[in-house]
Amino acid sequence: MKLLSALKRCSVALAAVALATVSLQPASAAPQPIVGGERAAQGEFPFMVRLSMGCGGALYAQDIVLTAAHCVDGSGNDTSITVTGGVADLRSSDAVKVRSTKVLQAPGYNGTGKDWALIKLARPIDQPTLKIATDSTYDRGTFTVAGWGADREGGRQQRHLLKAEVPFVSDADCQSAYRDLVPGEELCAGLLDTGGVDSCQGDSGGPMFRKDDADEWIQVGIVSWGRGCARPDYPGVYTEVSHFASGIASAAASL
């Protein structure tokens, strides 16, 4: 597992996680500035979903959510997760809520790398899906992250979906911050010099994405872990989706 101060970006809160005050940071961690995002408009990222255990995710298919392995507890039948989709405001009367039926955690996941999982839904959510990168073509540049997680280190989960842009950080620079980075399975993004823009606790499992050559959104990462939130010299770490694309496709076909 990662060091205590470099934690997975999930929330342990259940039920009303969007409005709960949740911090998974060490007691000595000082709050940092706002993650640097802004509210997303309704319908801007229709593939985004919120999971009841306090994570994010994206619609891989209308009845399958792609999220982080550390957000779920193994594989098998599981009806305990409520997935909320179709809205940027979690309190909206238009929110669609669907229960899970099965969970498939990445084979061999042990807390380091391989941080992806799929959740099968009891019925489809009628929203556009987010395609995933199948090679490393789009693993560079400026990415978008979105989620209902904390807007600052140690802060509250959010009612409204937030978005922010983060630039790619090379493996070499990222390994200067995190010796236990798994190059090839993880990629990094953030403002190394200044910090101030990042995913945070409660954003785990959500997508990191960008536009492809056809001007369509494509998912290149899954929010995984980092030291604090938006700290200088400590970028966010994301599951490198393209590395696992064939495994994700095979797993989805088996659900």
PDB file of all heavy atoms in Angstrom, residues 174-203:
ATOM      1  N   CYS A 174       7.544  12.685 -11.804  1.00  0.00           N
ATOM      2  CA  CYS A 174       6.617  12.133 -10.815  1.00  0.00           C
ATOM      3  C   CYS A 174       7.351  11.216  -9.839  1.00  0.00           C
ATOM      4  O   CYS A 174       7.047  11.203  -8.638  1.00  0.00           O
ATOM      5  CB  CYS A 174       5.494  11.387 -11.517  1.00  0.00           C
ATOM      6  SG  CYS A 174       4.041  11.128 -10.470  1.00  0.00           S
ATOM      7  N   GLN A 175       8.323  10.466 -10.342  1.00  0.00           N
ATOM      8  CA  GLN A 175       9.082   9.578  -9.454  1.00  0.00           C
ATOM      9  C   GLN A 175       9.951  10.350  -8.475  1.00  0.00           C
ATOM     10  O   GLN A 175      10.336   9.802  -7.435  1.00  0.00           O
ATOM     11  CB  GLN A 175       9.927   8.613 -10.282  1.00  0.00           C
ATOM     12  CG  GLN A 175       9.109   7.488 -10.900  1.00  0.00           C
ATOM     13  CD  GLN A 175       9.944   6.521 -11.704  1.00  0.00           C
ATOM     14  OE1 GLN A 175      10.588   6.901 -12.683  1.00  0.00           O
ATOM     15  NE2 GLN A 175       9.955   5.262 -11.293  1.00  0.00           N
ATOM     16  N   SER A 176      10.239  11.607  -8.778  1.00  0.00           N
ATOM     17  CA  SER A 176      10.953  12.438  -7.814  1.00  0.00           C
ATOM     18  C   SER A 176      10.095  12.700  -6.579  1.00  0.00           C
ATOM     19  O   SER A 176      10.615  12.897  -5.481  1.00  0.00           O
ATOM     20  CB  SER A 176      11.344  13.777  -8.453  1.00  0.00           C
ATOM     21  OG  SER A 176      12.269  13.578  -9.505  1.00  0.00           O
ATOM     22  N   ALA A 177       8.779  12.683  -6.790  1.00  0.00           N
ATOM     23  CA  ALA A 177       7.853  12.881  -5.672  1.00  0.00           C
ATOM     24  C   ALA A 177       7.440  11.566  -5.037  1.00  0.00           C
ATOM     25  O   ALA A 177       7.297  11.473  -3.816  1.00  0.00           O
ATOM     26  CB  ALA A 177       6.619  13.631  -6.162  1.00  0.00           C
ATOM     27  N   TYR A 178       7.262  10.534  -5.872  1.00  0.00           N
ATOM     28  CA  TYR A 178       6.728   9.261  -5.402  1.00  0.00           C
ATOM     29  C   TYR A 178       7.636   8.118  -5.858  1.00  0.00           C
ATOM     30  O   TYR A 178       7.609   7.719  -7.024  1.00  0.00           O
ATOM     31  CB  TYR A 178       5.322   9.030  -5.961  1.00  0.00           C
ATOM     32  CG  TYR A 178       4.337  10.130  -5.681  1.00  0.00           C
ATOM     33  CD1 TYR A 178       3.752  10.849  -6.730  1.00  0.00           C
ATOM     34  CD2 TYR A 178       3.956  10.440  -4.381  1.00  0.00           C
ATOM     35  CE1 TYR A 178       2.812  11.837  -6.489  1.00  0.00           C
ATOM     36  CE2 TYR A 178       3.024  11.440  -4.124  1.00  0.00           C
ATOM     37  CZ  TYR A 178       2.450  12.137  -5.183  1.00  0.00           C
ATOM     38  OH  TYR A 178       1.529  13.109  -4.941  1.00  0.00           O
ATOM     39  N   ARG A 179       8.400   7.581  -4.947  1.00  0.00           N
ATOM     40  CA  ARG A 179       9.300   6.490  -5.310  1.00  0.00           C
ATOM     41  C   ARG A 179       8.557   5.216  -5.658  1.00  0.00           C
ATOM     42  O   ARG A 179       9.100   4.340  -6.350  1.00  0.00           O
ATOM     43  CB  ARG A 179      10.281   6.219  -4.163  1.00  0.00           C
ATOM     44  CG  ARG A 179      11.322   7.324  -3.962  1.00  0.00           C
ATOM     45  CD  ARG A 179      12.220   7.017  -2.787  1.00  0.00           C
ATOM     46  NE  ARG A 179      11.470   6.994  -1.537  1.00  0.00           N
ATOM     47  CZ  ARG A 179      11.989   6.656  -0.359  1.00  0.00           C
ATOM     48  NH1 ARG A 179      13.266   6.292  -0.283  1.00  0.00           N
ATOM     49  NH2 ARG A 179      11.253   6.668   0.728  1.00  0.00           N
ATOM     50  N   ASP A 180       7.311   5.081  -5.181  1.00  0.00           N
ATOM     51  CA  ASP A 180       6.558   3.864  -5.432  1.00  0.00           C
ATOM     52  C   ASP A 180       5.593   3.990  -6.606  1.00  0.00           C
ATOM     53  O   ASP A 180       4.694   3.172  -6.776  1.00  0.00           O
ATOM     54  CB  ASP A 180       5.803   3.411  -4.191  1.00  0.00           C
ATOM     55  CG  ASP A 180       5.011   4.525  -3.527  1.00  0.00           C
ATOM     56  OD1 ASP A 180       5.146   5.679  -3.960  1.00  0.00           O
ATOM     57  OD2 ASP A 180       4.255   4.241  -2.580  1.00  0.00           O
ATOM     58  N   LEU A 181       5.784   5.012  -7.448  1.00  0.00           N
ATOM     59  CA  LEU A 181       5.030   5.107  -8.692  1.00  0.00           C
ATOM     60  C   LEU A 181       5.285   3.855  -9.530  1.00  0.00           C
ATOM     61  O   LEU A 181       6.390   3.309  -9.536  1.00  0.00           O
ATOM     62  CB  LEU A 181       5.466   6.348  -9.474  1.00  0.00           C
ATOM     63  CG  LEU A 181       4.724   6.610 -10.785  1.00  0.00           C
ATOM     64  CD1 LEU A 181       3.342   7.184 -10.507  1.00  0.00           C
ATOM     65  CD2 LEU A 181       5.529   7.563 -11.672  1.00  0.00           C
ATOM     66  N   VAL A 182       4.250   3.401 -10.255  1.00  0.00           N
ATOM     67  CA  VAL A 182       4.392   2.248 -11.143  1.00  0.00           C
ATOM     68  C   VAL A 182       4.311   2.749 -12.584  1.00  0.00           C
ATOM     69  O   VAL A 182       3.232   2.818 -13.167  1.00  0.00           O
ATOM     70  CB  VAL A 182       3.301   1.197 -10.881  1.00  0.00           C
ATOM     71  CG1 VAL A 182       3.552  -0.044 -11.739  1.00  0.00           C
ATOM     72  CG2 VAL A 182       3.241   0.828  -9.406  1.00  0.00           C
ATOM     73  N   PRO A 183       5.449   3.130 -13.191  1.00  0.00           N
ATOM     74  CA  PRO A 183       5.423   3.628 -14.569  1.00  0.00           C
ATOM     75  C   PRO A 183       4.839   2.578 -15.511  1.00  0.00           C
ATOM     76  O   PRO A 183       5.077   1.384 -15.370  1.00  0.00           O
ATOM     77  CB  PRO A 183       6.903   3.884 -14.883  1.00  0.00           C
ATOM     78  CG  PRO A 183       7.547   4.074 -13.547  1.00  0.00           C
ATOM     79  CD  PRO A 183       6.811   3.139 -12.623  1.00  0.00           C
ATOM     80  N   GLY A 184       4.063   3.039 -16.453  1.00  0.00           N
ATOM     81  CA  GLY A 184       3.402   2.131 -17.370  1.00  0.00           C
ATOM     82  C   GLY A 184       2.008   1.761 -16.911  1.00  0.00           C
ATOM     83  O   GLY A 184       1.123   1.511 -17.729  1.00  0.00           O
ATOM     84  N   GLU A 185       1.783   1.726 -15.599  1.00  0.00           N
ATOM     85  CA  GLU A 185       0.456   1.464 -15.049  1.00  0.00           C
ATOM     86  C   GLU A 185      -0.176   2.726 -14.473  1.00  0.00           C
ATOM     87  O   GLU A 185      -1.384   2.786 -14.276  1.00  0.00           O
ATOM     88  CB  GLU A 185       0.513   0.398 -13.958  1.00  0.00           C
ATOM     89  CG  GLU A 185       0.903  -0.983 -14.459  1.00  0.00           C
ATOM     90  CD  GLU A 185       0.745  -2.058 -13.399  1.00  0.00           C
ATOM     91  OE1 GLU A 185       0.175  -1.774 -12.326  1.00  0.00           O
ATOM     92  OE2 GLU A 185       1.199  -3.190 -13.647  1.00  0.00           O
ATOM     93  N   GLU A 186       0.668   3.732 -14.190  1.00  0.00           N
ATOM     94  CA  GLU A 186       0.180   4.975 -13.601  1.00  0.00           C
ATOM     95  C   GLU A 186       0.775   6.152 -14.356  1.00  0.00           C
ATOM     96  O   GLU A 186       1.909   6.081 -14.844  1.00  0.00           O
ATOM     97  CB  GLU A 186       0.577   5.060 -12.125  1.00  0.00           C
ATOM     98  CG  GLU A 186      -0.042   3.956 -11.268  1.00  0.00           C
ATOM     99  CD  GLU A 186       0.428   3.950  -9.834  1.00  0.00           C
ATOM    100  OE1 GLU A 186       1.629   4.219  -9.614  1.00  0.00           O
ATOM    101  OE2 GLU A 186      -0.392   3.667  -8.945  1.00  0.00           O
ATOM    102  N   LEU A 187       0.018   7.227 -14.461  1.00  0.00           N
ATOM    103  CA  LEU A 187       0.538   8.474 -15.027  1.00  0.00           C
ATOM    104  C   LEU A 187       0.155   9.613 -14.102  1.00  0.00           C
ATOM    105  O   LEU A 187      -0.757   9.489 -13.283  1.00  0.00           O
ATOM    106  CB  LEU A 187       0.043   8.691 -16.460  1.00  0.00           C
ATOM    107  CG  LEU A 187      -1.442   8.725 -16.764  1.00  0.00           C
ATOM    108  CD1 LEU A 187      -1.997  10.122 -16.566  1.00  0.00           C
ATOM    109  CD2 LEU A 187      -1.699   8.284 -18.205  1.00  0.00           C
ATOM    110  N   CYS A 188       0.849  10.718 -14.235  1.00  0.00           N
ATOM    111  CA  CYS A 188       0.712  11.829 -13.296  1.00  0.00           C
ATOM    112  C   CYS A 188       0.318  13.112 -14.010  1.00  0.00           C
ATOM    113  O   CYS A 188       0.650  13.313 -15.182  1.00  0.00           O
ATOM    114  CB  CYS A 188       2.019  12.045 -12.541  1.00  0.00           C
ATOM    115  SG  CYS A 188       2.573  10.596 -11.619  1.00  0.00           S
ATOM    116  N   ALA A 189      -0.368  13.980 -13.284  1.00  0.00           N
ATOM    117  CA  ALA A 189      -0.780  15.268 -13.828  1.00  0.00           C
ATOM    118  C   ALA A 189      -0.938  16.264 -12.687  1.00  0.00           C
ATOM    119  O   ALA A 189      -1.336  15.897 -11.579  1.00  0.00           O
ATOM    120  CB  ALA A 189      -2.092  15.132 -14.594  1.00  0.00           C
ATOM    121  N   GLY A 190      -0.616  17.520 -12.980  1.00  0.00           N
ATOM    122  CA  GLY A 190      -0.742  18.568 -11.973  1.00  0.00           C
ATOM    123  C   GLY A 190       0.247  19.683 -12.229  1.00  0.00           C
ATOM    124  O   GLY A 190       1.073  19.608 -13.143  1.00  0.00           O
ATOM    125  N   LEU A 191       0.178  20.733 -11.425  1.00  0.00           N
ATOM    126  CA  LEU A 191       1.073  21.873 -11.524  1.00  0.00           C
ATOM    127  C   LEU A 191       2.211  21.674 -10.534  1.00  0.00           C
ATOM    128  O   LEU A 191       2.070  21.963  -9.344  1.00  0.00           O
ATOM    129  CB  LEU A 191       0.327  23.174 -11.237  1.00  0.00           C
ATOM    130  CG  LEU A 191      -0.834  23.498 -12.184  1.00  0.00           C
ATOM    131  CD1 LEU A 191      -1.569  24.742 -11.715  1.00  0.00           C
ATOM    132  CD2 LEU A 191      -0.316  23.694 -13.612  1.00  0.00           C
ATOM    133  N   LEU A 192       3.348  21.176 -11.016  1.00  0.00           N
ATOM    134  CA  LEU A 192       4.453  20.840 -10.126  1.00  0.00           C
ATOM    135  C   LEU A 192       4.956  22.045  -9.347  1.00  0.00           C
ATOM    136  O   LEU A 192       5.201  21.964  -8.147  1.00  0.00           O
ATOM    137  CB  LEU A 192       5.604  20.231 -10.927  1.00  0.00           C
ATOM    138  CG  LEU A 192       5.544  18.729 -11.228  1.00  0.00           C
ATOM    139  CD1 LEU A 192       6.773  18.330 -12.022  1.00  0.00           C
ATOM    140  CD2 LEU A 192       5.462  17.919  -9.946  1.00  0.00           C
ATOM    141  N   ASP A 193       5.156  23.163 -10.014  1.00  0.00           N
ATOM    142  CA  ASP A 193       5.794  24.319  -9.382  1.00  0.00           C
ATOM    143  C   ASP A 193       4.903  25.021  -8.362  1.00  0.00           C
ATOM    144  O   ASP A 193       5.366  25.433  -7.294  1.00  0.00           O
ATOM    145  CB  ASP A 193       6.239  25.329 -10.442  1.00  0.00           C
ATOM    146  CG  ASP A 193       7.363  24.796 -11.314  1.00  0.00           C
ATOM    147  OD1 ASP A 193       8.047  23.850 -10.873  1.00  0.00           O
ATOM    148  OD2 ASP A 193       7.537  25.307 -12.427  1.00  0.00           O
ATOM    149  N   THR A 194       3.630  25.147  -8.698  1.00  0.00           N
ATOM    150  CA  THR A 194       2.747  25.970  -7.871  1.00  0.00           C
ATOM    151  C   THR A 194       1.676  25.188  -7.131  1.00  0.00           C
ATOM    152  O   THR A 194       1.142  25.673  -6.123  1.00  0.00           O
ATOM    153  CB  THR A 194       2.038  27.022  -8.745  1.00  0.00           C
ATOM    154  OG1 THR A 194       1.226  26.349  -9.726  1.00  0.00           O
ATOM    155  CG2 THR A 194       3.052  27.902  -9.468  1.00  0.00           C
ATOM    156  N   GLY A 195       1.340  23.994  -7.608  1.00  0.00           N
ATOM    157  CA  GLY A 195       0.196  23.304  -7.044  1.00  0.00           C
ATOM    158  C   GLY A 195      -1.072  24.090  -7.301  1.00  0.00           C
ATOM    159  O   GLY A 195      -1.142  24.913  -8.209  1.00  0.00           O
ATOM    160  N   GLY A 196      -2.097  23.848  -6.481  1.00  0.00           N
ATOM    161  CA  GLY A 196      -3.315  24.635  -6.567  1.00  0.00           C
ATOM    162  C   GLY A 196      -4.401  24.075  -7.461  1.00  0.00           C
ATOM    163  O   GLY A 196      -5.534  24.559  -7.415  1.00  0.00           O
ATOM    164  N   VAL A 197      -4.078  23.082  -8.283  1.00  0.00           N
ATOM    165  CA  VAL A 197      -5.081  22.446  -9.138  1.00  0.00           C
ATOM    166  C   VAL A 197      -4.873  20.943  -9.064  1.00  0.00           C
ATOM    167  O   VAL A 197      -3.778  20.449  -9.322  1.00  0.00           O
ATOM    168  CB  VAL A 197      -4.970  22.905 -10.605  1.00  0.00           C
ATOM    169  CG1 VAL A 197      -6.053  22.239 -11.448  1.00  0.00           C
ATOM    170  CG2 VAL A 197      -5.061  24.418 -10.718  1.00  0.00           C
ATOM    171  N   ASP A 198      -5.939  20.206  -8.707  1.00  0.00           N
ATOM    172  CA  ASP A 198      -5.752  18.773  -8.480  1.00  0.00           C
ATOM    173  C   ASP A 198      -7.107  18.118  -8.238  1.00  0.00           C
ATOM    174  O   ASP A 198      -8.095  18.795  -7.939  1.00  0.00           O
ATOM    175  CB  ASP A 198      -4.869  18.572  -7.238  1.00  0.00           C
ATOM    176  CG  ASP A 198      -4.228  17.186  -7.149  1.00  0.00           C
ATOM    177  OD1 ASP A 198      -4.417  16.368  -8.063  1.00  0.00           O
ATOM    178  OD2 ASP A 198      -3.538  16.939  -6.148  1.00  0.00           O
ATOM    179  N   SER A 199      -7.138  16.800  -8.363  1.00  0.00           N
ATOM    180  CA  SER A 199      -8.252  16.028  -7.814  1.00  0.00           C
ATOM    181  C   SER A 199      -8.000  15.887  -6.313  1.00  0.00           C
ATOM    182  O   SER A 199      -6.912  16.185  -5.825  1.00  0.00           O
ATOM    183  CB  SER A 199      -8.343  14.663  -8.492  1.00  0.00           C
ATOM    184  OG  SER A 199      -7.094  13.997  -8.443  1.00  0.00           O
ATOM    185  N   CYS A 200      -9.019  15.418  -5.576  1.00  0.00           N
ATOM    186  CA  CYS A 200      -8.856  15.378  -4.127  1.00  0.00           C
ATOM    187  C   CYS A 200      -9.684  14.232  -3.551  1.00  0.00           C
ATOM    188  O   CYS A 200     -10.261  13.434  -4.290  1.00  0.00           O
ATOM    189  CB  CYS A 200      -9.270  16.722  -3.530  1.00  0.00           C
ATOM    190  SG  CYS A 200      -8.600  17.065  -1.870  1.00  0.00           S
ATOM    191  N   GLN A 201      -9.741  14.131  -2.219  1.00  0.00           N
ATOM    192  CA  GLN A 201     -10.467  13.058  -1.575  1.00  0.00           C
ATOM    193  C   GLN A 201     -11.945  13.085  -1.990  1.00  0.00           C
ATOM    194  O   GLN A 201     -12.581  14.130  -1.975  1.00  0.00           O
ATOM    195  CB  GLN A 201     -10.355  13.163  -0.053  1.00  0.00           C
ATOM    196  CG  GLN A 201      -9.168  12.428   0.515  1.00  0.00           C
ATOM    197  CD  GLN A 201      -7.836  12.915  -0.050  1.00  0.00           C
ATOM    198  OE1 GLN A 201      -7.528  14.084   0.075  1.00  0.00           O
ATOM    199  NE2 GLN A 201      -7.080  12.034  -0.667  1.00  0.00           N
ATOM    200  N   GLY A 202     -12.461  11.922  -2.350  1.00  0.00           N
ATOM    201  CA  GLY A 202     -13.813  11.810  -2.855  1.00  0.00           C
ATOM    202  C   GLY A 202     -13.896  11.810  -4.365  1.00  0.00           C
ATOM    203  O   GLY A 202     -14.953  11.542  -4.932  1.00  0.00           O
ATOM    204  N   ASP A 203     -12.776  12.112  -5.041  1.00  0.00           N
ATOM    205  CA  ASP A 203     -12.738  12.075  -6.508  1.00  0.00           C
ATOM    206  C   ASP A 203     -12.245  10.733  -7.035  1.00  0.00           C
ATOM    207  O   ASP A 203     -12.289  10.478  -8.242  1.00  0.00           O
ATOM    208  CB  ASP A 203     -11.832  13.186  -7.060  1.00  0.00           C
ATOM    209  CG  ASP A 203     -12.427  14.569  -6.858  1.00  0.00           C
ATOM    210  OD1 ASP A 203     -13.668  14.694  -6.936  1.00  0.00           O
ATOM    211  OD2 ASP A 203     -11.669  15.525  -6.619  1.00  0.00           O
TER     212      ASP A 203
END
